Amino acid sequence: MSESTRKTGTGLLGWTCVPHALVLYLSILCVLFNSCDTVDRSKFRTCEQSGFCKRQRAVKEGYSKYKVDLSSGQVSSSSDKVTFSVVNPDGGHKFVLDVIAYDGVFRVKMNEESPLLPRYEVEHALLPDLKTTPMQVSKGSDSWTLTIGKDDAIAQVFGDPLRIDFFSQRKKVAVFNGRSTLKFEHLRQKPDVNDEPKEGEDSENQVQEPSMWEESFGGNTDSKPRGPESIAADIDFPLTQSLYGLPEHADTLMLKDTTNSDPVRLYNLDVFEYELDNVMALYGAIPYVIAHSPESTVGVLWLNAAETWIDVGVSKGGLVDSIVNLVGGSEENKEGRTRWMSESGIIDTFFFMGPTPADVIRQYGKLTGTTPLPQMWSIGSHQCRWNYNDEDDLLTVDANFDKYDIPYDSIWLDIEYTDGKKYFTWDHHKFPHPVEMIQNISSKGRKLVTILDPHIKRESGYFLHEDATNQDLYVKDKNGKIYEGWCWPGSSSYLDFFDPKVRQYWASLFALDKFPSTLDTYIWNDMNEPSVFNGPEVTMPKDMMHYGNWEHRDVHNLYGLMHIMSTYEGLIQRSENRLRPFILTRSHYVGAQRYAAVWTGDNKADWGHLRASIPMCLSLSISGMSHCGADIGGFFHNPDAELVLRWYQTAAFQPFMRNHAHIETKRREPWLFGDQITALIRSAVQKRYALLPYWYTLFYENEKTGMPPMRPLWLQYPNDINTFPIQDQHMIGDGLLVHPVTDQGATNVQVYLPKGNWYDFYSHKKYEGGTHTLNVGEDSIPVFQRGGSIIPTKQRIRRSAFLMRRDPYTLYVALDENGEASGSLYSDDNESFEYREGHYVLNSIKFKNGRLSSKVVNPNSPFRTPEWVERIVIVGLNKKPSSIEARSKSVGQTSLEFEGDYPIVIRKPGVLITEDWEIEIA
Ligand SMILES: *[C@@H]1O[C@H](CO)[C@@H](O)[C@H](O)[C@H]1NC(C)=O
Ligand SMILES: CC(=O)N[C@H]1CO[C@H](CO)[C@@H](O)[C@@H]1O
């Protein structure tokens, strides 16, 4: 959540001292004048207002003269790394360049040879113990050629000037420093004002700008004790201008040209009422781009945790032009360009060489990790509010879900459940019996999720504050004094999660004898950018100090990752490694997918924000954060019935589904908008629950391969250029295509279906590939099943996912032009880590030559479940069957009843998902 009173424009003093009535009055004023509806831009820096960004953006093409000394090239003993020395002839400063190989991936690292002080290298984002791979090295006079595999991936390192060309399947797909804009500000002594420029000193070192050694913004001064140390480099993509990634932004899925705007900014911030179609920084930062073309796909990760800005060049004409060029095959203007600028750290870039989008996703997942399979309940529907007031309120809301027959799996408590915003405590007046309350919820198979933020109330007697003070667990300023900022509790300090001792301490707090709760309590980590109400840009000053003597500047974008890593450890310890943790985080960085689900933060009750939820979650999904959703209804302001309904219908088909609202909004539980809307919301939520087996199977595959459940169309149809800009519809797995209705008063939607056969998932009407205009009513959620897919569902909808765990399946089989289809079905104990020891069942299901057959992929699994198949629905058969027969160990050989011409519905095949079976259609 975001501080509500910030909209009044009063500062720290204002909102602590101004009486409530005045705050209210100011809020009313802002409503009247409509000035509270947008972000206060003056709070956040532009590139021009950020010293290093301004310096780096002024760099012209051809600026850099860095030279690689090829004769210095050293190949490591296992040929997985080549090291060169690099010199900047302007002043003679020396650098080290490493090229390292992993399976399908090149890593390019550049640091000063002997920096004045160590420069920060990102920790914890990548998986530990990465396996490198050998390269073949061929040494030429002007370049060295490094090859992975046969000649699948090649990096050609040129000496003068420094440039690296990357080839995938012999096509040039990326170029590092091809425009010679690399600029590496080496660390230096602070010059005396009276110093004359020294002989032999580089020209850059002679320029002194005031922003280099101290910088002020919005009344805060950054003391910059280390001086200027920014880095920047260009990375271009000769084959394409279709670039994706760089979350988190409330912007288009396909990156836009930034020539006439600010660069895209990555700096984790708590932005109040964020604007749409905007490259301003938001809560998370994933410095990762995928450049996609029908010829080849390549990914680039710029592993740096400091403030980062990225310029994107995708031609003057932008998107339309680039598509025209793609179609026309024109060579000009095809190249997409990026230039990356970070305030500190080193240059550390990864090139994921593809060649297909699925390969890039897999390669990225192997280095940064994938989303572990979530517990089944956590992909159900969640109910949250700032705040459910007390035990009665919470239990009444819970009971109403049953009364109105709307399935849901967890209820959430925001900050007001605590005793005075002291985390790991309960307000004893409002929540006198937390354990009993949670047990009441979990007896119906549901969970409680409570919020735990990283700021700690500075109150003597509060155990956490006392421990943190006595055991030295807080972030400090550069003089060693504990940093104090302002957040929900008032005066607060911030745990330094970079310190292993702090992570261990935080993890220990989840023990059930420390935090009154149960194993059915899960965690929401908010405000972890970190949000500091009175800090520069609402966050921590850059010259604060973390464990290891690193400035906050170096590690800012990692703070949230360290917070959720500690929480994850706490949940693991609490259940003695048995249960899969569930955490929702707002801040995120590369690798956060290994620990948490993510939501798009404090959005707004308007149609634009509903539409934005799709590209935002798609962008996060392709960047690893696959368990993504947006607050249903919009966090700020009050949605009307139509918007709430459309939002439910949209969110029911997104990976993370949660209704949440600001404390000043009206109640918006799903039964509060009249009987008809309640019924329509019920139907949307039931559709979600019917598809839980499909989502669950997709999340299992996501852990294995990195492929996210929610996918842009181009991920599935990489050669269909019509799909490249699409962001109002998406795929779920490779079987379903969704085009939710996201316009107010819409009576129709235009749906693009790629080549092939498609079937309306609910009416079974057949469609061919192409653009279709569909009439929509208030109950419409256009969902299409791809001909060639098999979708597992459960059609006995109960009050929670838990209660459906033993229910039988209905399979939806949609045949392609050849009368074939395939799909998978995964099941396990829905909550523990035992699946990693083989306790699960995976079915590979195929339809071919009139026969539907299922094979247990892991027949030796000890996992047992009574789940069986109760119905099979087939579309696309070219003749009506005369008889249908099932064969399996449990049913023997038996003829089956079926009905309907179209679709054909097979009743009670009775086969088990733990056995192989066949159904013959004659
Ligand atoms: C738990 O449920 C029981 C039975 O409905 C009720 O009497 C009790 O007050 C509930 N306790 C709490 C703390 O919610
Ligand atoms: C089918 C199955 O094994 N279901 C398990 C799902 O998780 C619950 C606990 O939440 C177990 O009790 C079930 O056995």
Side-chain angles (χ1 to χ4, degrees), residues 63-92:
Y63 158 93
S64 102
K65 301 163 194 78
Y66 297 84
K67 257 194 208 152
V68 183
D69 177 2
L70 292 176
S71 68
S72 73
Q74 295 271 341
V75 183
S76 68
S77 58
S78 51
S79 304
D80 56 352
K81 173 166 153 182
V82 182
T83 304
F84 302 96
S85 68
V86 174
V87 67
N88 183 356
D90 179 9

PDB file of all heavy atoms in Angstrom, residues 63-92:
ATOM      1  N   TYR A  63      32.395   7.840 -28.902  1.00  0.00           N
ATOM      2  CA  TYR A  63      33.110   8.451 -27.784  1.00  0.00           C
ATOM      3  C   TYR A  63      34.259   7.576 -27.298  1.00  0.00           C
ATOM      4  O   TYR A  63      35.339   8.035 -27.005  1.00  0.00           O
ATOM      5  CB  TYR A  63      32.118   8.683 -26.632  1.00  0.00           C
ATOM      6  CG  TYR A  63      32.728   8.814 -25.255  1.00  0.00           C
ATOM      7  CD1 TYR A  63      33.044  10.072 -24.746  1.00  0.00           C
ATOM      8  CD2 TYR A  63      32.977   7.688 -24.460  1.00  0.00           C
ATOM      9  CE1 TYR A  63      33.590  10.197 -23.477  1.00  0.00           C
ATOM     10  CE2 TYR A  63      33.539   7.812 -23.196  1.00  0.00           C
ATOM     11  CZ  TYR A  63      33.840   9.059 -22.711  1.00  0.00           C
ATOM     12  OH  TYR A  63      34.385   9.180 -21.462  1.00  0.00           O
ATOM     13  N   SER A  64      33.979   6.287 -27.241  1.00  0.00           N
ATOM     14  CA  SER A  64      34.882   5.473 -26.442  1.00  0.00           C
ATOM     15  C   SER A  64      36.038   4.938 -27.267  1.00  0.00           C
ATOM     16  O   SER A  64      35.889   4.558 -28.426  1.00  0.00           O
ATOM     17  CB  SER A  64      34.090   4.370 -25.759  1.00  0.00           C
ATOM     18  OG  SER A  64      34.238   3.162 -26.397  1.00  0.00           O
ATOM     19  N   LYS A  65      37.213   4.943 -26.638  1.00  0.00           N
ATOM     20  CA  LYS A  65      38.418   4.518 -27.334  1.00  0.00           C
ATOM     21  C   LYS A  65      39.021   3.300 -26.650  1.00  0.00           C
ATOM     22  O   LYS A  65      40.182   2.969 -26.880  1.00  0.00           O
ATOM     23  CB  LYS A  65      39.416   5.684 -27.340  1.00  0.00           C
ATOM     24  CG  LYS A  65      38.863   6.920 -28.028  1.00  0.00           C
ATOM     25  CD  LYS A  65      39.668   8.176 -27.686  1.00  0.00           C
ATOM     26  CE  LYS A  65      38.927   9.448 -28.088  1.00  0.00           C
ATOM     27  NZ  LYS A  65      37.848   9.805 -27.134  1.00  0.00           N
ATOM     28  N   TYR A  66      38.229   2.665 -25.789  1.00  0.00           N
ATOM     29  CA  TYR A  66      38.779   1.528 -25.042  1.00  0.00           C
ATOM     30  C   TYR A  66      39.349   0.498 -26.013  1.00  0.00           C
ATOM     31  O   TYR A  66      38.734   0.166 -27.019  1.00  0.00           O
ATOM     32  CB  TYR A  66      37.687   0.869 -24.192  1.00  0.00           C
ATOM     33  CG  TYR A  66      37.123   1.774 -23.133  1.00  0.00           C
ATOM     34  CD1 TYR A  66      36.105   2.675 -23.430  1.00  0.00           C
ATOM     35  CD2 TYR A  66      37.621   1.727 -21.825  1.00  0.00           C
ATOM     36  CE1 TYR A  66      35.590   3.519 -22.449  1.00  0.00           C
ATOM     37  CE2 TYR A  66      37.099   2.564 -20.844  1.00  0.00           C
ATOM     38  CZ  TYR A  66      36.085   3.451 -21.170  1.00  0.00           C
ATOM     39  OH  TYR A  66      35.582   4.285 -20.203  1.00  0.00           O
ATOM     40  N   LYS A  67      40.553   0.005 -25.670  1.00  0.00           N
ATOM     41  CA  LYS A  67      41.245  -0.955 -26.533  1.00  0.00           C
ATOM     42  C   LYS A  67      41.475  -2.256 -25.776  1.00  0.00           C
ATOM     43  O   LYS A  67      41.969  -2.232 -24.645  1.00  0.00           O
ATOM     44  CB  LYS A  67      42.634  -0.394 -26.863  1.00  0.00           C
ATOM     45  CG  LYS A  67      42.741   0.191 -28.231  1.00  0.00           C
ATOM     46  CD  LYS A  67      44.211   0.386 -28.572  1.00  0.00           C
ATOM     47  CE  LYS A  67      44.303   1.539 -29.548  1.00  0.00           C
ATOM     48  NZ  LYS A  67      45.539   2.261 -29.493  1.00  0.00           N
ATOM     49  N   VAL A  68      41.124  -3.352 -26.405  1.00  0.00           N
ATOM     50  CA  VAL A  68      41.426  -4.652 -25.806  1.00  0.00           C
ATOM     51  C   VAL A  68      42.816  -5.063 -26.276  1.00  0.00           C
ATOM     52  O   VAL A  68      43.096  -5.044 -27.474  1.00  0.00           O
ATOM     53  CB  VAL A  68      40.417  -5.735 -26.267  1.00  0.00           C
ATOM     54  CG1 VAL A  68      40.692  -7.055 -25.573  1.00  0.00           C
ATOM     55  CG2 VAL A  68      38.992  -5.276 -26.038  1.00  0.00           C
ATOM     56  N   ASP A  69      43.655  -5.417 -25.332  1.00  0.00           N
ATOM     57  CA  ASP A  69      44.971  -5.931 -25.698  1.00  0.00           C
ATOM     58  C   ASP A  69      44.820  -7.433 -25.964  1.00  0.00           C
ATOM     59  O   ASP A  69      44.853  -8.248 -25.037  1.00  0.00           O
ATOM     60  CB  ASP A  69      45.949  -5.658 -24.546  1.00  0.00           C
ATOM     61  CG  ASP A  69      47.323  -6.236 -24.841  1.00  0.00           C
ATOM     62  OD1 ASP A  69      47.505  -6.804 -25.949  1.00  0.00           O
ATOM     63  OD2 ASP A  69      48.191  -6.141 -23.966  1.00  0.00           O
ATOM     64  N   LEU A  70      44.613  -7.781 -27.249  1.00  0.00           N
ATOM     65  CA  LEU A  70      44.323  -9.184 -27.573  1.00  0.00           C
ATOM     66  C   LEU A  70      45.472 -10.101 -27.182  1.00  0.00           C
ATOM     67  O   LEU A  70      45.271 -11.247 -26.801  1.00  0.00           O
ATOM     68  CB  LEU A  70      43.993  -9.330 -29.061  1.00  0.00           C
ATOM     69  CG  LEU A  70      42.675  -8.686 -29.510  1.00  0.00           C
ATOM     70  CD1 LEU A  70      42.517  -8.811 -31.022  1.00  0.00           C
ATOM     71  CD2 LEU A  70      41.472  -9.325 -28.824  1.00  0.00           C
ATOM     72  N   SER A  71      46.692  -9.555 -27.255  1.00  0.00           N
ATOM     73  CA  SER A  71      47.845 -10.409 -26.932  1.00  0.00           C
ATOM     74  C   SER A  71      47.854 -10.785 -25.444  1.00  0.00           C
ATOM     75  O   SER A  71      48.519 -11.727 -25.031  1.00  0.00           O
ATOM     76  CB  SER A  71      49.145  -9.696 -27.295  1.00  0.00           C
ATOM     77  OG  SER A  71      49.315  -8.587 -26.434  1.00  0.00           O
ATOM     78  N   SER A  72      47.081 -10.043 -24.654  1.00  0.00           N
ATOM     79  CA  SER A  72      47.030 -10.355 -23.218  1.00  0.00           C
ATOM     80  C   SER A  72      46.042 -11.482 -22.923  1.00  0.00           C
ATOM     81  O   SER A  72      45.919 -11.918 -21.784  1.00  0.00           O
ATOM     82  CB  SER A  72      46.600  -9.110 -22.436  1.00  0.00           C
ATOM     83  OG  SER A  72      45.214  -8.867 -22.653  1.00  0.00           O
ATOM     84  N   GLY A  73      45.288 -11.923 -23.934  1.00  0.00           N
ATOM     85  CA  GLY A  73      44.212 -12.887 -23.713  1.00  0.00           C
ATOM     86  C   GLY A  73      44.672 -14.161 -23.003  1.00  0.00           C
ATOM     87  O   GLY A  73      45.651 -14.785 -23.397  1.00  0.00           O
ATOM     88  N   GLN A  74      43.979 -14.518 -21.927  1.00  0.00           N
ATOM     89  CA  GLN A  74      44.309 -15.715 -21.137  1.00  0.00           C
ATOM     90  C   GLN A  74      43.099 -16.632 -21.157  1.00  0.00           C
ATOM     91  O   GLN A  74      42.016 -16.205 -20.768  1.00  0.00           O
ATOM     92  CB  GLN A  74      44.539 -15.334 -19.670  1.00  0.00           C
ATOM     93  CG  GLN A  74      45.732 -14.451 -19.414  1.00  0.00           C
ATOM     94  CD  GLN A  74      46.978 -15.288 -19.190  1.00  0.00           C
ATOM     95  OE1 GLN A  74      46.867 -16.481 -18.889  1.00  0.00           O
ATOM     96  NE2 GLN A  74      48.136 -14.671 -19.346  1.00  0.00           N
ATOM     97  N   VAL A  75      43.319 -17.877 -21.588  1.00  0.00           N
ATOM     98  CA  VAL A  75      42.215 -18.832 -21.575  1.00  0.00           C
ATOM     99  C   VAL A  75      42.328 -19.677 -20.306  1.00  0.00           C
ATOM    100  O   VAL A  75      43.410 -20.192 -20.008  1.00  0.00           O
ATOM    101  CB  VAL A  75      42.265 -19.733 -22.826  1.00  0.00           C
ATOM    102  CG1 VAL A  75      41.074 -20.685 -22.851  1.00  0.00           C
ATOM    103  CG2 VAL A  75      42.301 -18.880 -24.088  1.00  0.00           C
ATOM    104  N   SER A  76      41.224 -19.794 -19.553  1.00  0.00           N
ATOM    105  CA  SER A  76      41.262 -20.577 -18.306  1.00  0.00           C
ATOM    106  C   SER A  76      41.516 -22.044 -18.626  1.00  0.00           C
ATOM    107  O   SER A  76      41.288 -22.493 -19.757  1.00  0.00           O
ATOM    108  CB  SER A  76      39.942 -20.437 -17.557  1.00  0.00           C
ATOM    109  OG  SER A  76      38.922 -21.076 -18.299  1.00  0.00           O
ATOM    110  N   SER A  77      41.928 -22.800 -17.615  1.00  0.00           N
ATOM    111  CA  SER A  77      42.340 -24.180 -17.879  1.00  0.00           C
ATOM    112  C   SER A  77      41.189 -25.015 -18.436  1.00  0.00           C
ATOM    113  O   SER A  77      41.402 -25.909 -19.246  1.00  0.00           O
ATOM    114  CB  SER A  77      42.910 -24.815 -16.616  1.00  0.00           C
ATOM    115  OG  SER A  77      41.936 -24.755 -15.605  1.00  0.00           O
ATOM    116  N   SER A  78      39.954 -24.725 -18.023  1.00  0.00           N
ATOM    117  CA  SER A  78      38.846 -25.511 -18.587  1.00  0.00           C
ATOM    118  C   SER A  78      38.174 -24.784 -19.752  1.00  0.00           C
ATOM    119  O   SER A  78      37.063 -25.157 -20.152  1.00  0.00           O
ATOM    120  CB  SER A  78      37.830 -25.849 -17.493  1.00  0.00           C
ATOM    121  OG  SER A  78      37.479 -24.684 -16.799  1.00  0.00           O
ATOM    122  N   SER A  79      38.820 -23.756 -20.269  1.00  0.00           N
ATOM    123  CA  SER A  79      38.332 -23.017 -21.458  1.00  0.00           C
ATOM    124  C   SER A  79      36.956 -22.403 -21.279  1.00  0.00           C
ATOM    125  O   SER A  79      36.264 -22.150 -22.252  1.00  0.00           O
ATOM    126  CB  SER A  79      38.275 -23.911 -22.709  1.00  0.00           C
ATOM    127  OG  SER A  79      39.504 -24.477 -22.954  1.00  0.00           O
ATOM    128  N   ASP A  80      36.533 -22.198 -20.017  1.00  0.00           N
ATOM    129  CA  ASP A  80      35.206 -21.612 -19.810  1.00  0.00           C
ATOM    130  C   ASP A  80      35.274 -20.102 -19.646  1.00  0.00           C
ATOM    131  O   ASP A  80      34.252 -19.445 -19.511  1.00  0.00           O
ATOM    132  CB  ASP A  80      34.533 -22.236 -18.578  1.00  0.00           C
ATOM    133  CG  ASP A  80      35.373 -22.105 -17.320  1.00  0.00           C
ATOM    134  OD1 ASP A  80      36.556 -21.675 -17.416  1.00  0.00           O
ATOM    135  OD2 ASP A  80      34.858 -22.424 -16.241  1.00  0.00           O
ATOM    136  N   LYS A  81      36.519 -19.565 -19.685  1.00  0.00           N
ATOM    137  CA  LYS A  81      36.661 -18.132 -19.440  1.00  0.00           C
ATOM    138  C   LYS A  81      37.894 -17.603 -20.159  1.00  0.00           C
ATOM    139  O   LYS A  81      38.936 -18.246 -20.170  1.00  0.00           O
ATOM    140  CB  LYS A  81      36.822 -17.928 -17.927  1.00  0.00           C
ATOM    141  CG  LYS A  81      37.147 -16.524 -17.494  1.00  0.00           C
ATOM    142  CD  LYS A  81      36.936 -16.426 -15.991  1.00  0.00           C
ATOM    143  CE  LYS A  81      37.808 -15.362 -15.367  1.00  0.00           C
ATOM    144  NZ  LYS A  81      37.635 -15.317 -13.915  1.00  0.00           N
ATOM    145  N   VAL A  82      37.734 -16.432 -20.780  1.00  0.00           N
ATOM    146  CA  VAL A  82      38.874 -15.778 -21.411  1.00  0.00           C
ATOM    147  C   VAL A  82      38.991 -14.390 -20.793  1.00  0.00           C
ATOM    148  O   VAL A  82      37.986 -13.689 -20.644  1.00  0.00           O
ATOM    149  CB  VAL A  82      38.691 -15.659 -22.934  1.00  0.00           C
ATOM    150  CG1 VAL A  82      39.917 -15.026 -23.567  1.00  0.00           C
ATOM    151  CG2 VAL A  82      38.438 -17.032 -23.545  1.00  0.00           C
ATOM    152  N   THR A  83      40.197 -14.025 -20.404  1.00  0.00           N
ATOM    153  CA  THR A  83      40.419 -12.741 -19.730  1.00  0.00           C
ATOM    154  C   THR A  83      41.360 -11.869 -20.549  1.00  0.00           C
ATOM    155  O   THR A  83      42.404 -12.341 -21.001  1.00  0.00           O
ATOM    156  CB  THR A  83      41.031 -12.989 -18.330  1.00  0.00           C
ATOM    157  OG1 THR A  83      40.154 -13.858 -17.612  1.00  0.00           O
ATOM    158  CG2 THR A  83      41.204 -11.693 -17.561  1.00  0.00           C
ATOM    159  N   PHE A  84      40.971 -10.623 -20.751  1.00  0.00           N
ATOM    160  CA  PHE A  84      41.800  -9.676 -21.494  1.00  0.00           C
ATOM    161  C   PHE A  84      42.065  -8.457 -20.625  1.00  0.00           C
ATOM    162  O   PHE A  84      41.260  -8.116 -19.759  1.00  0.00           O
ATOM    163  CB  PHE A  84      41.067  -9.159 -22.735  1.00  0.00           C
ATOM    164  CG  PHE A  84      40.635 -10.212 -23.710  1.00  0.00           C
ATOM    165  CD1 PHE A  84      39.345 -10.729 -23.673  1.00  0.00           C
ATOM    166  CD2 PHE A  84      41.522 -10.667 -24.683  1.00  0.00           C
ATOM    167  CE1 PHE A  84      38.936 -11.686 -24.587  1.00  0.00           C
ATOM    168  CE2 PHE A  84      41.113 -11.625 -25.609  1.00  0.00           C
ATOM    169  CZ  PHE A  84      39.815 -12.138 -25.561  1.00  0.00           C
ATOM    170  N   SER A  85      43.158  -7.758 -20.928  1.00  0.00           N
ATOM    171  CA  SER A  85      43.272  -6.448 -20.305  1.00  0.00           C
ATOM    172  C   SER A  85      42.865  -5.392 -21.318  1.00  0.00           C
ATOM    173  O   SER A  85      43.013  -5.555 -22.529  1.00  0.00           O
ATOM    174  CB  SER A  85      44.661  -6.219 -19.715  1.00  0.00           C
ATOM    175  OG  SER A  85      45.582  -6.117 -20.739  1.00  0.00           O
ATOM    176  N   VAL A  86      42.262  -4.337 -20.778  1.00  0.00           N
ATOM    177  CA  VAL A  86      41.687  -3.279 -21.603  1.00  0.00           C
ATOM    178  C   VAL A  86      42.264  -1.970 -21.112  1.00  0.00           C
ATOM    179  O   VAL A  86      42.459  -1.789 -19.901  1.00  0.00           O
ATOM    180  CB  VAL A  86      40.144  -3.264 -21.443  1.00  0.00           C
ATOM    181  CG1 VAL A  86      39.535  -2.075 -22.172  1.00  0.00           C
ATOM    182  CG2 VAL A  86      39.530  -4.559 -21.935  1.00  0.00           C
ATOM    183  N   VAL A  87      42.526  -1.087 -22.037  1.00  0.00           N
ATOM    184  CA  VAL A  87      43.057   0.202 -21.606  1.00  0.00           C
ATOM    185  C   VAL A  87      42.229   1.315 -22.240  1.00  0.00           C
ATOM    186  O   VAL A  87      41.718   1.185 -23.350  1.00  0.00           O
ATOM    187  CB  VAL A  87      44.557   0.328 -21.968  1.00  0.00           C
ATOM    188  CG1 VAL A  87      44.754   0.396 -23.480  1.00  0.00           C
ATOM    189  CG2 VAL A  87      45.189   1.539 -21.295  1.00  0.00           C
ATOM    190  N   ASN A  88      42.056   2.384 -21.481  1.00  0.00           N
ATOM    191  CA  ASN A  88      41.478   3.590 -22.056  1.00  0.00           C
ATOM    192  C   ASN A  88      42.655   4.502 -22.424  1.00  0.00           C
ATOM    193  O   ASN A  88      43.305   5.054 -21.534  1.00  0.00           O
ATOM    194  CB  ASN A  88      40.573   4.284 -21.026  1.00  0.00           C
ATOM    195  CG  ASN A  88      39.886   5.505 -21.618  1.00  0.00           C
ATOM    196  OD1 ASN A  88      40.143   5.862 -22.778  1.00  0.00           O
ATOM    197  ND2 ASN A  88      39.022   6.132 -20.836  1.00  0.00           N
ATOM    198  N   PRO A  89      42.970   4.615 -23.721  1.00  0.00           N
ATOM    199  CA  PRO A  89      44.162   5.356 -24.118  1.00  0.00           C
ATOM    200  C   PRO A  89      44.126   6.799 -23.608  1.00  0.00           C
ATOM    201  O   PRO A  89      45.165   7.411 -23.405  1.00  0.00           O
ATOM    202  CB  PRO A  89      44.128   5.322 -25.654  1.00  0.00           C
ATOM    203  CG  PRO A  89      43.163   4.264 -26.013  1.00  0.00           C
ATOM    204  CD  PRO A  89      42.201   4.134 -24.884  1.00  0.00           C
ATOM    205  N   ASP A  90      42.913   7.296 -23.389  1.00  0.00           N
ATOM    206  CA  ASP A  90      42.773   8.638 -22.854  1.00  0.00           C
ATOM    207  C   ASP A  90      43.051   8.601 -21.351  1.00  0.00           C
ATOM    208  O   ASP A  90      42.156   8.393 -20.536  1.00  0.00           O
ATOM    209  CB  ASP A  90      41.345   9.125 -23.139  1.00  0.00           C
ATOM    210  CG  ASP A  90      41.112  10.526 -22.593  1.00  0.00           C
ATOM    211  OD1 ASP A  90      42.087  11.172 -22.147  1.00  0.00           O
ATOM    212  OD2 ASP A  90      39.954  10.979 -22.611  1.00  0.00           O
ATOM    213  N   GLY A  91      44.318   8.705 -20.965  1.00  0.00           N
ATOM    214  CA  GLY A  91      44.674   8.705 -19.542  1.00  0.00           C
ATOM    215  C   GLY A  91      45.306   7.402 -19.101  1.00  0.00           C
ATOM    216  O   GLY A  91      45.947   7.335 -18.065  1.00  0.00           O
ATOM    217  N   GLY A  92      45.143   6.341 -19.877  1.00  0.00           N
ATOM    218  CA  GLY A  92      45.840   5.092 -19.583  1.00  0.00           C
ATOM    219  C   GLY A  92      45.225   4.222 -18.497  1.00  0.00           C
ATOM    220  O   GLY A  92      45.843   3.252 -18.041  1.00  0.00           O
TER     221      GLY A  92
END
